[in-house]
Amino acid sequence: MQYNFDEVIDRRNTGSLKWHYTDDTIALWVADMDFRAAQPIVNTIERVVQHGVLGYTKPTAALYEAIINWHGSRYGLALEKENILFSHGVVPSLALMLRVFTEVGDAVLVNDPIYAPFMTKVRDNGRQLILSPLKEVAGRYVLDLADIEAKIVEHDVKLFLFCNPHNPGGRVWTEAELKALLELCKKYDVAVVSDEIHQDLTLSGHEFVPFLRLATGYEHKVASITSMTKTFNVAGVKGSMIFAKDNVLIQQMSHEQRLSDEHDLNLFAYEVMRSAYEDGGEWLAQALTYIEANIDFACDFLAQHLPDVKVMRPEASYLIWLDCSAYGQDDQMLYKQLRAAKVELSAGSQYGEEGHLKLRLNVACPRAVLLAGLERMRLALQD
């Protein structure tokens, strides 16, 4: 089936978080695509509704098989049913991991910049937030292993919350980088939780490596969290997975989930997840082709019209990290300039100190919408 990603679908007045405006602002911010979901997923939802009975549901053998086959065939990650737990989302899973691996007051390390809940959940759960800035080398981020080691030693870090691929920088960490980080964490007995929700959005020329695949002998200290929601643009259907290969660790996480009854998903989440992993591959392939073309288009537009914007081209995802320091000196003023021009990007300041005067641009939308948003961005910054 050929999908039409140029189709403009009006999402205003639908309760959409992304398109919540009462005016004609163009939304290029939150990580939510403006593309119609894969037809097999839509068909599955319709089938469930037509069945008419929407009762309590548990994960089926077919669902486990779909998850295992997807991750095994694409990434060489060998999973069994016993390695998989379900969660309402990766952010709730971050909070769960904090309770499993740390105590109140313990130090938790994250990179800077980083997806904001990495920082807020650490603070909200009474842990000590330690930041290790990423280094920018040749237009992309790299891990500062010396700084990471120094922070681990200085603060007696118990847990590293890691983002692979990285949000907002779009890095797909190489196997060599991951192995070096793993050895450092093993040296100091630091647990690692790898958020891999953008794994399936890895772009051409790059290879995603699951952290858990490398953790042989250290499985009791490693877990990964991921979801079908970003991959298949079904974020409104809450559901995600936790992977771990140590039986005791799985039992600890399962126990923690049951304390607040967080281990069950709803009927639609289970069915959408199964359908996506069984039959969503063709939609994803076409979506990634369109997204890469949009990335090219946005980079070319910025190079021509806003040449002083420093573009960090993503290796995964549909999010482009932009350094706009040449166009202002105040984060709030920069954001307000764009809002006044009726275009919204994500303010870099929410991603940590390294997000100063940066913006995150979402290009997962029809080309016409992207062009209109970029034109407004040009007018705002040129003025």
Side-chain angles (χ1 to χ4, degrees):
M1 177 179 179
Q2 187 65 37
Y3 291 94
N4 179 16
F5 296 99
D6 284 319
E7 179 187 9
V8 177
I9 302 170
D10 187 2
R11 299 179 63 190
R12 300 175 194 274
N13 302 311
T14 63
S16 166
L17 171 66
K18 184 178 183 180
W19 292 90
H20 65 276
Y21 316 97
T22 56
D23 58 20
D24 64 344
T25 294
I26 295 175
L28 301 176
W29 64 294
V30 68
D32 175 335
M33 304 186 212
D34 290 321
F35 305 140
R36 192 180 299 275
Q39 194 59 47
I41 293 176
V42 175
N43 293 344
T44 293
I45 293 173
E46 290 176 345
R47 175 182 55 77
V48 171
V49 171
Q50 288 303 316
H51 182 267
V53 181
L54 309 178
Y56 291 117
T57 308
K58 65 178 183 179
T60 62
L63 171 58
Y64 283 110
E65 184 179 2
I67 295 168
I68 290 167
N69 289 344
W70 181 273
H71 290 84
S73 64
R74 287 177 174 254
Y75 309 118
L77 179 61
L79 295 171
E80 299 178 0
K81 175 182 176 181
E82 292 72 24
N83 303 137
I84 304 167
L85 295 176
F86 296 97
S87 169
H88 297 150
V90 296
V91 175
S93 294
L94 286 174
L96 176 77
M97 295 299 106
L98 289 167
R99 298 194 298 271
V100 168
F101 285 116
T102 67
E103 303 289 340
V104 171
D106 283 347
V108 178
L109 185 64
V110 304
N111 291 124
D112 179 9
I114 200 68
Y115 177 52
F118 276 63
M119 297 179 288
T120 58
K121 292 305 151 195
V122 171
R123 294 189 180 109
D124 290 347
N125 283 274
R127 275 64 173 174
Q128 182 186 2
L129 177 65
I130 308 299
L131 298 175
S132 177
L134 295 171
K135 295 192 295 185
E136 186 174 343
V137 179
R140 68 176 193 162
Y141 283 132
V142 297
L143 298 168
D144 188 338
L145 293 173
D147 183 73
I148 290 171
E149 182 170 18
K151 297 286 175 59
I152 288 173
V153 172
E154 179 183 356
H155 300 283
D156 190 22
V157 167
K158 302 299 184 185
L159 172 63
F160 192 159
L161 294 181
F162 188 56
C163 197
N164 175 37
H166 180 255
N167 178 13
R171 266 306 313 276
V172 178
W173 307 108
T174 65
E175 184 167 334
E177 288 173 308
L178 296 176
K179 284 182 175 178
L181 179 61
L182 177 62
E183 288 306 309
L184 199 54
C185 290
K186 288 168 68 174
K187 179 179 179 180
Y188 296 102
D189 197 32
V190 176
V192 181
V193 172
S194 183
D195 172 4
E196 301 181 350
I197 194 170
H198 291 279
Q199 61 183 38
D200 300 317
L201 299 172
T202 298
L203 302 172
S204 59
H206 303 281
E207 179 186 0
F208 168 73
V209 178
F211 200 91
L212 193 58
R213 199 179 82 194
L214 307 177
T216 302
Y218 201 60
E219 292 97 336
H220 65 295
K221 285 282 191 173
V222 176
S224 59
I225 53 181
T226 191
S227 175
M228 79 298 184
T229 54
K230 286 289 186 286
T231 303
F232 296 100
N233 195 35
V234 289
V237 181
K238 298 291 186 180
S240 71
M241 297 151 289
I242 302 168
F243 299 153
K245 288 201 167 188
D246 180 81
N247 290 335
V248 174
L249 178 56
I250 281 282
Q251 290 171 8
Q252 290 174 330
M253 293 189 294
S254 181
H255 172 73
E256 193 65 42
Q257 283 187 317
R258 290 178 184 279
L259 292 178
S260 53
D261 263 346
E262 293 180 353
H263 57 287
D264 286 330
L265 303 183
N266 67 67
L267 164 62
F268 292 99
Y270 285 136
E271 286 298 296
V272 165
M273 190 180 292
R274 180 195 57 75
S275 176
Y277 288 137
E278 284 182 350
D279 300 312
E282 179 56 37
W283 180 92
L284 177 60
Q286 293 182 36
L288 287 174
T289 297
Y290 192 89
I291 286 166
E292 292 212 49
N294 269 3
I295 292 171
D296 289 338
F297 181 83
C299 290
D300 290 344
F301 181 97
L302 293 169
Q304 180 178 351
H305 298 289
L306 294 169
D308 292 326
V309 170
K310 291 173 60 180
V311 178
M312 186 173 285
R313 187 183 179 92
E315 299 172 354
S317 90
Y318 45 79
L319 306 167
I320 306 180
W321 193 231
L322 306 175
D323 182 342
C324 299
S325 55
Y327 294 90
Q329 296 301 313
D330 180 81
D331 283 294
Q332 194 60 32
M333 186 62 68
L334 179 67
Y335 180 70
K336 284 182 176 179
Q337 282 179 260
L338 296 171
R339 292 292 289 115
K342 295 186 178 181
V343 59
E344 183 162 6
L345 283 67
S346 295
S349 56
Q350 67 181 293
Y351 299 94
E353 295 180 7
E354 295 297 314
H356 177 53
L357 295 177
K358 294 184 173 69
L359 297 167
R360 196 187 71 172
L361 168 67
N362 179 347
V363 302
C365 58
R367 189 78 42 78
V369 175
L370 177 59
L371 174 58
L374 289 170
E375 285 287 1
R376 293 186 185 186
M377 184 179 173
R378 175 181 65 83
L379 291 172
L381 296 186
Q382 281 185 344
D383 289 346

